[in-house]
């Protein structure tokens, strides 16, 4: 059976008059315009979804995370994290941390088991000091409990700081160019675009330069590289953040955030689970 194109080519209908051809051309032009308008409208709606307005303020984040700090690990870990490859990503990226380390949005200390601690006080074979920073005091209470039950070398200084990582005074709290490694996992999505950009600027300012061995290690929720899944994220990100996603806007373009942060260089990027989250290694 012939397909549509061959049927059109081989039609036995008599040729159209000049008037008919002109009408057909006008109809085709009108149809194309309608299609372009529809496409533009669809694109506009998608763009509107890509940068949803929902983001928790530091005050909202502190209050919200205080409330479910005690069962956060159950919500954010478990078998689902294994299936999606989240635990593998943590193991790989956190295992790269060394020297004096700052973790942003440390929460309940869900990353603690993945750190490799140095064998000597000045050793570069692992973490020699660890500062855990979070906006929620309740989350840090849980992190302190975890640290108390771990066999961390006595020479490793572990500090806890309750602070807003998007605020400009973070540099004053921890020091400029102080850390060999700055870590952040799944925190930028809660901050919104503006907050995430500010946080990246703070991380840039507190990490050492690449020449001095400094590095930023990130794992973040991102928009999927799968077209259909990406569109689904766009359509649901705002609602999901409000209804049960703990304020996390899941479809952010973190790569563009990094590239737009002056003074940061993106060294490597790896995607997991069709790109719904990615790891990034950056330097200053």
């Amino acid at each position: 059976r012939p397909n549509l194109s061959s049927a059109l080519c081989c039609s036995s209908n008599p040729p159209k008059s000049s008037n008919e051809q002109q009408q057909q051309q006008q109809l085709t032009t009108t149809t194309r315009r309608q299609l372009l308008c529809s496409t533009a409208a669809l694109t506009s709606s998608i763009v509107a979804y890509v940068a949803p307005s929902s983001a928790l303020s530091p005050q909202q984040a502190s209050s919200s995370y205080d409330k479910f700090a005690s069962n956060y690990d159950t919500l954010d870990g478990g078998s689902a994290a294994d299936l999606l490859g989240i635990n593998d990503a943590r193991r790989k990226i956190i295992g790269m941390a060394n020297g004096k380390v700052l973790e942003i949005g440390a929460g309940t200390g869900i990353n603690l088991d993945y750190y490799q601690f140095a064998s000597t006080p000045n050793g570069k074979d692992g973490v020699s000091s660890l500062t855990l920073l979070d906006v929620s005091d309740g989350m840090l209470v849980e992190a302190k409990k975890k640290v108390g039950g771990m066999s961390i070398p006595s020479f490793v200084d572990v500090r806890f700081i309750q602070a807003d990582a998007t605020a400009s005074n973070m540099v004053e709290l921890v020091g400029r160019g102080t850390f060999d490694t700055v870590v952040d996992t799944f925190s930028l999505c809660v901050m919104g675009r503006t907050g995430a950009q500010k946080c990246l600027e703070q991380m840039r300012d507190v990490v050492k330069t690449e020449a001095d061995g400094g590095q930023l290690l990130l794992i973040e929720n991102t928009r999927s590289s799968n077209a259909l899944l990406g569109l689904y994220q766009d359509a649901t990100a705002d609602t999901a953040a409000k209804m049960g996603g703990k304020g996390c806007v899941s479809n952010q373009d973190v790569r563009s955030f990094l590239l737009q942060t002056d003074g940061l260089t993106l060294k490597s990027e790896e995607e997991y689970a069709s790109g719904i989250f990615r790891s990034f290694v950056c330097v200053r």
Side-chain angles (χ1 to χ4, degrees):
R1 188 171 58 183
N3 59 35
L4 179 60
S5 59
S6 62
L8 289 173
C9 291
C10 302
S11 171
S12 58
N13 291 333
K16 291 181 174 65
S17 67
S18 60
N19 286 339
E20 289 176 325
Q21 290 176 346
Q22 187 175 6
Q23 290 175 352
Q24 180 65 40
Q25 186 175 9
Q26 290 174 344
L27 179 61
T28 301
T29 302
T30 301
T31 302
R32 285 176 178 169
R33 284 175 181 167
Q34 290 173 339
L35 180 59
L36 287 172
C37 288
S38 298
T39 303
L42 176 61
T43 302
S44 297
S45 66
I46 289 174
V47 169
Y49 275 125
V50 168
S53 58
S54 288
L56 295 183
S57 69
Q59 295 76 21
Q60 289 172 324
S62 177
S63 175
S64 297
Y65 280 80
D66 279 351
K67 291 176 182 176
F68 51 73
S70 60
N71 63 349
Y72 178 83
D73 288 4
T74 302
L75 294 171
D76 221 45
S79 58
D82 267 331
L83 289 172
L84 290 172
I86 292 175
N87 291 338
D88 286 339
R90 290 186 195 275
R91 189 173 296 107
K92 182 174 182 178
I93 205 78
I94 302 301
M96 295 171 61
N98 67 79
K100 192 173 182 180
V101 176
L102 169 67
E103 183 176 341
I104 301 294
T108 62
I110 200 168
N111 289 325
L112 284 168
D113 287 338
Y114 299 102
Y115 283 109
Q116 301 295 318
F117 292 99
S119 56
T120 62
N122 297 317
K124 293 297 184 182
D125 56 341
V127 177
S128 56
S129 78
L130 179 61
T131 300
L132 303 176
L133 183 147
D134 200 278
V135 73
S136 165
D137 183 61
M139 298 287 268
L140 289 176
V141 167
E142 299 300 318
K144 290 175 184 176
K145 292 178 185 176
K146 278 200 183 99
V147 168
M150 295 178 67
S151 298
I152 298 175
S154 59
F155 59 79
V156 175
D157 179 32
V158 181
R159 300 173 59 210
F160 303 86
I161 298 177
Q162 182 188 7
D164 172 15
T166 68
S168 58
N169 68 341
M170 194 180 86
V171 175
E172 298 172 13
L173 286 174
V174 299
R176 185 177 297 274
T178 302
F179 295 95
D180 300 290
T181 305
V182 177
V183 172
D184 180 88
T185 64
F186 302 109
S187 293
L188 298 183
C189 66
V190 181
M191 301 173 185
R193 182 182 182 91
T194 301
Q197 203 75 59
K198 289 180 179 178
C199 183
L200 287 170
E201 290 167 0
Q202 298 305 304
M203 288 193 276
R204 172 203 62 200
D205 290 344
V206 301
V207 74
K208 293 179 180 179
T209 64
E210 181 182 17
D212 290 329
Q215 59 178 346
L216 299 182
L217 306 176
L218 313 175
I219 306 174
E220 306 294 346
N221 290 294
T222 56
R223 189 178 188 275
S224 175
S225 54
N226 178 288
L228 291 178
L229 186 53
L231 288 174
Y232 175 78
Q233 286 178 285
D234 295 340
T236 61
D238 203 26
T239 301
K242 294 173 181 175
M243 298 301 292
K246 303 188 289 294
C248 177
V249 179
S250 64
N251 65 335
Q252 290 183 326
D253 184 359
V254 176
R255 188 175 197 275
S256 73
F257 296 175
L258 293 168
L259 295 178
Q260 291 169 22
T261 304
D262 291 339
L264 275 189
T265 300
L266 177 60
K267 300 291 284 188
S268 66
E269 173 182 352
E270 185 173 355
E271 71 171 45
Y272 297 82
S274 296
I276 62 173
F277 67 97
R278 291 175 167 86
S279 67
F280 304 91
V281 178
C282 304
V283 295
R284 177 170 75 88

